[in-house]
Amino acid sequence: MAVSGGFSSLFHTLPAPIRRVAARILFGVCAALAVCLTAPAVQAAPAAYEVSIDAPRSVRSLLKSHLDLVRFSSRSDVSDEQFGFLVTAAAQQVNDLVQTEGYFSAVIKTDVRSAAKGRKRVVISVDPGPRTTIGSVNLQFHGPVTAEEPSLEATARLAWSLHAGDPFSQSDWAGAKNASLKALQSRRYLAARIVHSDAQINPRTHQAALSVDFDSGPTFRFGQIHLSGVQRYPQDIVSNIDPIHPGEIYTAAKVQELQRQIQNTPYYSSVAIDVANDPAHQAATPVNVKLSEYQYQNVRSGVGYSTNTGPSVQGSYQYNNVFNRAWVFTVQGLIEQDTQNGSISLAMPPDAKSYVNSVLASYTRTNYEDTDIHSALVGVQRARSLANYDWTYSLMFYEDRLNQNSAAPTVSRALMPGWSWTRRNTDDPVFPSSGNLIHAEAGFAVKGLLTDQTFARVYVHGKQYLPIDKTDLVVLRAEFGGVFTGGSSNGIPASLLFRAGGADSVRGYSYESIGNNVDGSVLPTKYLITGSTEYQHWFTHEYGGAIFYDVGTATDTWYEKTFYQGVGVGARWRSPIGPVNLDVAYGLRNRNFRPYLTLGIAF
């Protein structure tokens, strides 16, 4: 009795909203215990029943997914006692569930009827009433943020997603609070917290008054990095790619960049980073990095399919400790329907500036549109990849043999110093909805220096994402390539020239089918230009549709250019492994439909 009385006294000292939540949780626990404790004996006859829900579509879907009476209806071992308990509890559960979506004045009726063959039928009728909308929002910020960095307070306010007139739901309410809190915690204020939040529901006006108080806490600065899990590979690998400097102000972006840099190396299978948010260590908060290393040797293989290149098989072997200095030796192979490739490389670990130096060689054979190209490549390169930028400097020797229908095979050679640069400036690296991606390449070759013809080569590719609203998006794409020389393209390796057509080029035409057509062989050309406009509408967060228009050409002379156009529609899916695009395009010039399936985004 003393225990019971103590619990009762404690319960009644709680605030009324908490008492209501606690009572509902207790009721649900009792319901679960009743189902378990009243489990039928072997001789008890099961009570088969079905449930019918009469409610608006959104409410009906919610109840079908979460109502206990519906979830247990598929079981054959529910006794009469359990069935009665579930029916009794249903009205309260329905009321609790619809309140999470902002319906606080629902009218609920439960009716048990007899159905065919002795079955029971439960009819639940729900009139949810008016949905509660946001009437007002009051966000208060306390702590050093108001004086030290008011711009971060403004960012947290912008991250808040609920505004006057929006429908109220528990998930949106929680999401808005979490988004603003994360904005505060993303820079300086790692220990920021919510000190008070309240949603006052007015049942007469069906409006919610929201208020949240945030406390930023003190400014945090990075301390030393502490590594664990280091066994096979030198600690210098992490030190050389570490973007964090002790003493600088904490930012979540720096932590994410460190994680990305580590995962981009071939040495670690996983990395977990923990930054302590204890205000007692805010002047030098430690960064704990737990690594899981790969074995020295790795063998990988896979199969795939692309509408551009057909089915494929690929494999690789990697040894991560050449010369006992963590140099990485890699052999790779790829076999596709019209492409075969083999490559070999030896790469050093990242140096003090995060650059990776390597030597490589490869051999590729392609046979598209009656044009057979054998390309051999050998060279050295120096590359660095950061959070939003990639740089590569290279010196490559190319030797290509081109076979075509109307002429004898030709062999072309070039020794080309090259440079490439990539910038990623999007709101999301996997599913971008705003920002842009840019990639640029440049190189040159001089006749006589292991080169058959003097030329310069440039290539630029870009994408721009323009959000219209929460559900609509415009994607613009542009591509330009040019090989500039005083003569024709003879003597320039074919793998450095250009063709167009395919899923990532001009849809409506087969892969690399746009070029210089000579007796049925589509030869690569000196110039390339393509562009695309795509409008996407997202019906849900995961699924959307698109319409698009593509145009482009590949030519040796601009005055003889012919632009190829394609239009089409597509489906979009934000899958767990990345964007999946399914398109059907119509080529206006060849009057032909073509399907395309792509996974992932460029860059």
Side-chain angles (χ1 to χ4, degrees):
M1 293 299 293
V3 174
S4 176
F7 175 78
S8 177
S9 300
L10 175 62
F11 181 81
H12 287 288
T13 61
L14 297 173
I18 298 179
R19 288 204 307 270
R20 288 194 295 269
V21 173
R24 290 169 184 171
I25 293 173
L26 182 61
F27 185 82
V29 171
C30 291
L33 287 174
V35 171
C36 295
L37 295 176
T38 60
V42 176
Q43 67 273 17
Y49 67 93
E50 58 190 47
V51 181
S52 175
I53 299 176
D54 180 15
R57 179 181 298 178
S58 59
V59 172
R60 186 166 62 249
S61 176
L62 174 71
L63 298 181
K64 284 184 176 180
S65 299
H66 300 286
L67 187 61
D68 287 344
L69 187 64
V70 175
R71 294 192 299 111
F72 281 99
S73 65
S74 60
R75 295 180 56 169
S76 61
D77 60 346
V78 178
S79 68
D80 288 337
E81 292 81 5
Q82 293 169 339
F83 173 72
F85 194 92
L86 290 169
V87 172
T88 303
Q92 182 61 53
Q93 283 193 341
V94 170
N95 190 58
D96 292 343
L97 287 169
V98 297
Q99 283 187 6
T100 65
E101 293 299 312
Y103 299 102
F104 292 93
S105 57
V107 177
I108 304 160
K109 296 180 182 179
T110 304
D111 185 19
V112 181
R113 305 173 184 175
S114 297
K117 298 181 180 180
R119 291 171 61 85
K120 297 175 183 178
R121 183 184 181 207
V122 183
V123 179
I124 300 176
S125 301
V126 183
D127 179 4
R131 189 173 190 181
T132 298
T133 58
I134 309 301
S136 63
V137 177
N138 181 25
L139 305 181
Q140 296 291 329
F141 292 85
H142 310 281
V145 65
T146 58
E148 287 180 343
E149 195 161 350
S151 61
L152 189 57
E153 177 185 335
T155 300
R157 290 184 182 274
L158 287 173
W160 182 266
S161 57
L162 288 179
H163 307 285
D166 291 345
F168 174 84
S169 73
Q170 291 285 357
S171 59
D172 291 342
W173 166 232
K177 290 188 291 184
N178 189 50
S180 291
L181 182 61
K182 280 189 173 181
L184 277 181
Q185 294 173 339
S186 67
R187 176 176 170 82
R188 280 185 177 264
Y189 307 109
L190 181 59
R193 60 194 180 97
I194 296 174
V195 295
H196 174 76
S197 67
D198 190 29
Q200 292 288 341
I201 308 298
N202 188 324
R204 183 177 60 83
T205 62
H206 304 291
Q207 288 191 332
L210 309 181
S211 63
V212 186
D213 288 353
F214 298 92
D215 182 4
S216 70
T219 292
F220 276 70
R221 294 181 180 273
F222 285 116
Q224 296 294 327
I225 289 183
H226 304 284
L227 297 179
S228 62
V230 177
Q231 298 177 354
R232 300 180 182 88
Y233 306 112
Q235 293 192 21
D236 288 348
I237 293 175
V238 176
S239 300
N240 289 342
I241 60 177
D242 177 18
I244 295 174
H245 304 288
E248 69 177 344
I249 291 175
Y250 166 86
T251 64
K254 285 284 187 179
V255 177
Q256 293 167 358
E257 183 178 352
L258 172 60
Q259 185 171 34
R260 177 183 177 273
Q261 291 292 90
I262 294 174
Q263 290 177 329
N264 278 351
T265 70
Y267 306 103
Y268 309 106
S269 59
S270 66
V271 54
I273 302 177
D274 175 61
V275 183
N277 62 352
D278 184 356
H281 300 97
Q282 51 87 17
T285 187
V287 181
N288 300 306
V289 180
K290 184 177 181 180
L291 302 170
S292 179
E293 298 177 331
Y294 278 122
Q295 300 287 338
Y296 286 141
Q297 301 187 70
N298 291 289
V299 178
R300 300 178 183 178
S301 62
V303 297
Y305 178 81
S306 166
T307 48
N308 277 343
T309 57
S312 64
V313 178
Q314 57 185 327
S316 68
Y317 168 78
Q318 184 172 285
Y319 182 67
N320 291 346
N321 199 34
V322 177
F323 308 130
N324 201 31
R325 298 180 62 183
W327 290 28
V328 180
F329 173 74
T330 305
V331 179
Q332 299 183 67
L334 170 68
I335 299 176
E336 294 179 329
Q337 183 172 315
D338 297 305
T339 300
Q340 298 81 46
N341 170 265
S343 65
I344 185 172
S345 66
L346 180 63
M348 300 172 63
D351 63 17
K353 293 184 178 180
S354 301
Y355 278 99
V356 174
N357 301 314
S358 61
V359 296
L360 61 136
S362 69
Y363 181 84
T364 304
R365 179 181 181 253
T366 63
N367 190 358
Y368 297 108
E369 304 294 330
D370 279 348
T371 302
D372 188 15
I373 300 173
H374 299 251
S375 179
L377 168 69
V378 62
V380 297
Q381 71 177 20
R382 178 173 170 82
R384 180 169 69 168
S385 178
L386 300 181
N388 298 314
Y389 294 90
D390 296 337
W391 294 267
T392 301
Y393 305 92
S394 61
L395 178 63
M396 299 292 179
F397 175 73
Y398 298 82
E399 180 173 293
D400 288 8
R401 187 183 73 199
L402 185 149
N403 301 321
Q404 56 176 305
N405 291 336
S406 62
T410 58
V411 176
S412 304
R413 302 175 182 84
L415 178 67
M416 188 175 79
W419 164 88
S420 71
W421 172 81
T422 300
R423 190 189 76 167
R424 296 172 290 270
N425 182 26
T426 59
D427 60 336
D428 190 295
V430 181
F431 304 110
S433 59
S434 66
N436 53 66
L437 301 165
I438 302 173
H439 175 75
E441 300 175 8
F444 67 93
V446 178
K447 185 176 181 179
L449 299 177
L450 299 178
T451 301
D452 294 337
Q453 184 173 166
T454 299
F455 66 90
R457 182 182 188 272
V458 296
Y459 175 78
V460 180
H461 184 194
K463 276 188 177 181
Q464 180 71 48
Y465 297 87
L466 301 172
I468 304 300
D469 53 31
K470 292 183 179 180
T471 60
D472 294 77
L473 173 67
V474 173
V475 182
L476 304 177
R477 178 183 57 80
E479 180 184 33
F480 171 78
V483 171
F484 304 95
T485 181
S488 68
S489 60
N490 293 333
I492 299 175
S495 57
L496 297 175
L497 300 173
F498 307 100
R499 286 185 286 185
D504 298 316
S505 180
V506 183
R507 286 164 288 191
Y509 305 87
S510 58
Y511 182 59
E512 296 204 340
S513 64
I514 300 173
N516 185 15
N517 194 322
V518 178
D519 292 337
S521 292
V522 178
L523 306 180
T525 63
K526 293 166 62 177
Y527 306 109
L528 166 75
I529 184 168
T530 69
S532 174
T533 301
E534 179 170 302
Y535 189 94
Q536 298 178 1
H537 175 77
W538 291 89
F539 303 102
T540 67
H541 178 73
E542 291 82 14
Y543 298 100
I547 57 174
F548 55 84
Y549 169 74
D550 295 348
V551 62
T553 188
T555 182
D556 279 325
T557 53
W558 284 115
Y559 64 86
E560 293 181 352
K561 64 184 180 296
T562 300
F563 281 104
Y564 293 75
Q565 303 175 72
V567 296
V569 298
R572 301 290 178 264
W573 176 33
R574 293 188 175 114
S575 78
I577 58 173
V580 176
N581 304 325
L582 176 61
D583 296 323
V584 177
Y586 178 75
L588 298 180
R589 186 171 181 82
N590 61 9
R591 298 181 179 180
N592 192 22
F593 286 96
R594 286 189 175 274
Y596 298 94
L597 177 64
T598 57
L599 171 65
I601 61 172
F603 313 98

PDB file of all heavy atoms in Angstrom, residues 300-304 312-316 333-335:
ATOM      1  N   ARG A 300      37.271  -7.683 -55.005  1.00  0.00           N
ATOM      2  CA  ARG A 300      35.881  -7.276 -55.180  1.00  0.00           C
ATOM      3  C   ARG A 300      35.419  -7.625 -56.582  1.00  0.00           C
ATOM      4  O   ARG A 300      36.207  -7.660 -57.528  1.00  0.00           O
ATOM      5  CB  ARG A 300      35.704  -5.769 -54.936  1.00  0.00           C
ATOM      6  CG  ARG A 300      36.102  -5.328 -53.534  1.00  0.00           C
ATOM      7  CD  ARG A 300      35.950  -3.834 -53.361  1.00  0.00           C
ATOM      8  NE  ARG A 300      36.393  -3.398 -52.041  1.00  0.00           N
ATOM      9  CZ  ARG A 300      36.399  -2.133 -51.630  1.00  0.00           C
ATOM     10  NH1 ARG A 300      35.988  -1.180 -52.448  1.00  0.00           N
ATOM     11  NH2 ARG A 300      36.803  -1.836 -50.414  1.00  0.00           N
ATOM     12  N   SER A 301      34.110  -7.843 -56.706  1.00  0.00           N
ATOM     13  CA  SER A 301      33.532  -8.137 -58.010  1.00  0.00           C
ATOM     14  C   SER A 301      32.077  -7.683 -58.009  1.00  0.00           C
ATOM     15  O   SER A 301      31.483  -7.450 -56.951  1.00  0.00           O
ATOM     16  CB  SER A 301      33.622  -9.626 -58.335  1.00  0.00           C
ATOM     17  OG  SER A 301      32.879 -10.377 -57.378  1.00  0.00           O
ATOM     18  N   GLY A 302      31.510  -7.554 -59.198  1.00  0.00           N
ATOM     19  CA  GLY A 302      30.118  -7.143 -59.286  1.00  0.00           C
ATOM     20  C   GLY A 302      29.600  -7.256 -60.699  1.00  0.00           C
ATOM     21  O   GLY A 302      30.368  -7.393 -61.669  1.00  0.00           O
ATOM     22  N   VAL A 303      28.292  -7.230 -60.815  1.00  0.00           N
ATOM     23  CA  VAL A 303      27.628  -7.224 -62.110  1.00  0.00           C
ATOM     24  C   VAL A 303      26.705  -6.016 -62.152  1.00  0.00           C
ATOM     25  O   VAL A 303      26.282  -5.497 -61.115  1.00  0.00           O
ATOM     26  CB  VAL A 303      26.825  -8.526 -62.351  1.00  0.00           C
ATOM     27  CG1 VAL A 303      27.752  -9.718 -62.394  1.00  0.00           C
ATOM     28  CG2 VAL A 303      25.763  -8.708 -61.265  1.00  0.00           C
ATOM     29  N   GLY A 304      26.375  -5.562 -63.336  1.00  0.00           N
ATOM     30  CA  GLY A 304      25.510  -4.405 -63.472  1.00  0.00           C
ATOM     31  C   GLY A 304      24.879  -4.336 -64.836  1.00  0.00           C
ATOM     32  O   GLY A 304      25.109  -5.196 -65.712  1.00  0.00           O
ATOM     33  N   SER A 312      27.162  -5.709 -67.560  1.00  0.00           N
ATOM     34  CA  SER A 312      28.596  -5.583 -67.289  1.00  0.00           C
ATOM     35  C   SER A 312      29.005  -6.520 -66.160  1.00  0.00           C
ATOM     36  O   SER A 312      28.204  -6.881 -65.297  1.00  0.00           O
ATOM     37  CB  SER A 312      28.949  -4.142 -66.912  1.00  0.00           C
ATOM     38  OG  SER A 312      28.313  -3.768 -65.703  1.00  0.00           O
ATOM     39  N   VAL A 313      30.289  -6.882 -66.189  1.00  0.00           N
ATOM     40  CA  VAL A 313      30.925  -7.645 -65.124  1.00  0.00           C
ATOM     41  C   VAL A 313      32.230  -6.945 -64.795  1.00  0.00           C
ATOM     42  O   VAL A 313      32.979  -6.550 -65.708  1.00  0.00           O
ATOM     43  CB  VAL A 313      31.196  -9.110 -65.547  1.00  0.00           C
ATOM     44  CG1 VAL A 313      31.911  -9.857 -64.432  1.00  0.00           C
ATOM     45  CG2 VAL A 313      29.904  -9.818 -65.924  1.00  0.00           C
ATOM     46  N   GLN A 314      32.510  -6.751 -63.503  1.00  0.00           N
ATOM     47  CA  GLN A 314      33.749  -6.071 -63.140  1.00  0.00           C
ATOM     48  C   GLN A 314      34.359  -6.717 -61.904  1.00  0.00           C
ATOM     49  O   GLN A 314      33.667  -7.381 -61.124  1.00  0.00           O
ATOM     50  CB  GLN A 314      33.500  -4.585 -62.882  1.00  0.00           C
ATOM     51  CG  GLN A 314      32.470  -4.288 -61.818  1.00  0.00           C
ATOM     52  CD  GLN A 314      32.194  -2.792 -61.706  1.00  0.00           C
ATOM     53  OE1 GLN A 314      33.095  -1.968 -61.916  1.00  0.00           O
ATOM     54  NE2 GLN A 314      30.974  -2.444 -61.394  1.00  0.00           N
ATOM     55  N   GLY A 315      35.640  -6.520 -61.751  1.00  0.00           N
ATOM     56  CA  GLY A 315      36.343  -7.070 -60.597  1.00  0.00           C
ATOM     57  C   GLY A 315      37.624  -6.303 -60.352  1.00  0.00           C
ATOM     58  O   GLY A 315      38.132  -5.606 -61.240  1.00  0.00           O
ATOM     59  N   SER A 316      38.147  -6.417 -59.119  1.00  0.00           N
ATOM     60  CA  SER A 316      39.383  -5.712 -58.789  1.00  0.00           C
ATOM     61  C   SER A 316      40.131  -6.461 -57.696  1.00  0.00           C
ATOM     62  O   SER A 316      39.533  -7.186 -56.888  1.00  0.00           O
ATOM     63  CB  SER A 316      39.090  -4.275 -58.334  1.00  0.00           C
ATOM     64  OG  SER A 316      38.418  -4.269 -57.093  1.00  0.00           O
ATOM     65  N   GLY A 333      39.359  -4.704 -63.735  1.00  0.00           N
ATOM     66  CA  GLY A 333      38.891  -5.124 -65.043  1.00  0.00           C
ATOM     67  C   GLY A 333      37.405  -4.906 -65.185  1.00  0.00           C
ATOM     68  O   GLY A 333      36.648  -5.025 -64.213  1.00  0.00           O
ATOM     69  N   LEU A 334      36.965  -4.555 -66.382  1.00  0.00           N
ATOM     70  CA  LEU A 334      35.554  -4.315 -66.680  1.00  0.00           C
ATOM     71  C   LEU A 334      35.223  -4.882 -68.046  1.00  0.00           C
ATOM     72  O   LEU A 334      35.932  -4.617 -69.018  1.00  0.00           O
ATOM     73  CB  LEU A 334      35.247  -2.818 -66.643  1.00  0.00           C
ATOM     74  CG  LEU A 334      33.870  -2.373 -67.165  1.00  0.00           C
ATOM     75  CD1 LEU A 334      32.774  -2.857 -66.222  1.00  0.00           C
ATOM     76  CD2 LEU A 334      33.811  -0.857 -67.333  1.00  0.00           C
ATOM     77  N   ILE A 335      34.147  -5.659 -68.110  1.00  0.00           N
ATOM     78  CA  ILE A 335      33.672  -6.192 -69.392  1.00  0.00           C
ATOM     79  C   ILE A 335      32.211  -5.794 -69.549  1.00  0.00           C
ATOM     80  O   ILE A 335      31.359  -6.176 -68.733  1.00  0.00           O
ATOM     81  CB  ILE A 335      33.805  -7.722 -69.454  1.00  0.00           C
ATOM     82  CG1 ILE A 335      35.269  -8.137 -69.303  1.00  0.00           C
ATOM     83  CG2 ILE A 335      33.245  -8.249 -70.769  1.00  0.00           C
ATOM     84  CD1 ILE A 335      35.470  -9.644 -69.260  1.00  0.00           C
TER      85      ILE A 335
END
